[in-house]
Amino acid sequence: MTAYSGPVFEMAAQQFEVIAEYLCIPEDARARLLMPKRAVMVSCPIHRDDGTTAVFEGYRVQHHLTLGPTKGGTRFAPSVDLGEVAALAVWMSWKCALVGLPYGGAKGGISVDPSSLSKRELEALSRRYMQEMIPFVGPHTDVMAPDMGTNEQIMAWFMDTYSMYQGQTITEIVTGKPVSAGGTLGRREATGRGVAHLVHRAADELKLRLGSATAVVQGFGNVGSIAALELYNMGVKVIAVSDHTGALHQPAGLDIPKLVRHASSQGSLAGYSNELGLDPLEMLTIPCDILAPAAVERVIDATIAANLRCRILAEAANGPTTPEADRILEQRAAEVFLIPDILCNSGGVVVSYFEWVQDLQRLFWEEDEVMRREYQVLDRAFERVLARSKRDKVFNRTAAMAIGVERVRGAKETRGLFP
Ligand code: GLU
C-alpha cells in the first residue's frame, strides 16, 4: 500500500513491472524509477455564485526531475484523485522520454465536474488552484498544460495568476495557452493531428488503404474530435463517435465537419440526431479498421479486448487498456496493431514543448513549421518502437515503454544517487 494505491496507479505499476522484467532491472532499482518524486495536495476554496463557500481538492504529482522540469496536463473531473494523477504523471514520464523531450512527467487536477460551475466560478477555481501551486511550479520546475476538462482559457487564467504574483508576464509557466496569450499555432490540434498521422503510418505498415477504411472514435473532446476530423479529411469513413452524452452510428459514414460544428456550439454531441443512437459500450466492438479510444482510462478490459474487431487500435486517451486486456492483445498482435498511448497521443506534449521553447526564446514559428517538426518527432518515435518490437519480438506497448524507461534509467544512472 502507498498513498497512491488505487486501480489506476495499480495499472501503471503493473505495466512498469512488465517492462522491468523485460529490461532485467534489478528489484532494488525499480522503486526509484516508479515512485513519484513529489505530490502536492491543496484545498481550493471559492465563493459560489449563491454566496456560499465551496472547497475543492486539488493535486499535482511530479514523477521525476532527472531530465529537466516536469511537464503534464491538469485534469478537471469528478474522478480525479491522488492515485489517478500519479499514474498519469508516470505515463507522462515514459511518453516524454520516448519522444526525446527534456522533461520528467507530471500531472495535476481538481476533483470537480467543471460543467457544474458558472464561468465566474470556474475562473475563481482555476486561479485559486494555480495560486496554491505557486511554491511548487515554475518554468524550470514544472510546466502545466490542458487535459480532460480544461482548455486554453483555463491555461490563460493559470498564466495570468502566476504572472500577477511574479510581477511580470511569464508565458512559459503553462502550455496550451491561447495564441493571443503566448500560445503556439498548432497546439490545440496537435494531439488529434498526431493520432491521425500515426494511424496513417500504421496503415502504410499494414498496407491498409485509408481511402476505403472505416473508423470508430470514442470521445469527442479536443483530442477525439480533431482526430476524427483529420481521419475524415484523409478519406476515412468515420462510422461511429461518442461522448459522455451518448454514441452515434452511421455505417455510411458520419458528417464529421458538421458534428464538430455541432459539438463546439452545443458543448456535446447531444441533440445532433435521435436516429443514429448506439450503445456506447457496444461501439468499441463493432467491426472497423481503426478504433480510437479518446476518452478515459480503462475502457478496454479483457472481455472487450477479446472481442475487438479493428485492425488498428490507436490509443488517443491515456491508459485506455487494462493490463488484463494487454495480455489478450499481445496474443492478438497479428490481428490488432496497437499504437500505444504514450506514442499515439504524444503529439500534444511535443507541441507543448515547442510552445515552451518559443516562449523562452520570444521567437514564434509558423504553423507549418510546428506541424513539420511535430510529425518529424512522431515519425522517429514510431520507427524506433516498430524496430524494437520487431527486433525483440515484443508487444508494441512493451517496446514503447521500454524505450522511455531506459532513457530515464540511463539518465538516473549517469547522474548518480545524491548525496
Ligand atoms: N495532457 C496532455 C497529455 O496527457 C498534454 C500534456 C502537455 O502538453 O504537457 O499528454
Side-chain angles (χ1 to χ4, degrees), residues 71-73 92 95 107 143 145-147 175 187 318 345 348-349 352:
K71 184 85 195 74
M92 281 306 299
K95 187 189 309 189
K107 198 70 138 207
V143 181
D147 195 82
T175 60
R187 174 61 185 88
N318 290 310
N345 67 37
V349 72
S352 274

Side-chain angles (χ1 to χ4, degrees), residues 216 247 249 277-287 304 307 309:
V216 169
H249 183 210
L278 171 77
D279 175 352
L281 257 187
E282 208 181 290
M283 189 178 102
L284 296 171
T285 51
I286 60 179
I304 292 180
N307 290 308
R309 285 184 284 172

Side-chain angles (χ1 to χ4, degrees), residues 301-363:
D301 59 14
T303 316
I304 292 180
N307 290 308
L308 286 182
R309 285 184 284 172
C310 59
R311 274 301 279 129
I312 297 173
L313 176 58
E315 292 183 333
N318 290 310
T321 306
T322 66
E324 298 73 38
D326 262 350
R327 286 193 278 277
I328 293 165
L329 290 177
E330 196 165 355
Q331 302 302 317
R332 299 190 60 199
E335 296 162 72
V336 179
F337 182 96
L338 174 75
I339 312 176
D341 54 357
I342 60 168
L343 171 64
C344 192
N345 67 37
S346 65
V349 72
V350 168
V351 177
S352 274
Y353 166 66
F354 296 157
E355 180 173 332
W356 181 71
V357 165
Q358 292 171 75
D359 283 342
L360 287 169
Q361 299 186 345
R362 310 283 189 264
L363 176 69

Side-chain angles (χ1 to χ4, degrees), residues 40-53:
V40 183
M41 270 180 74
V42 292
S43 292
C44 303
I46 61 161
H47 291 297
R48 298 297 302 249
D49 291 344
D50 64 6
T52 59
T53 301

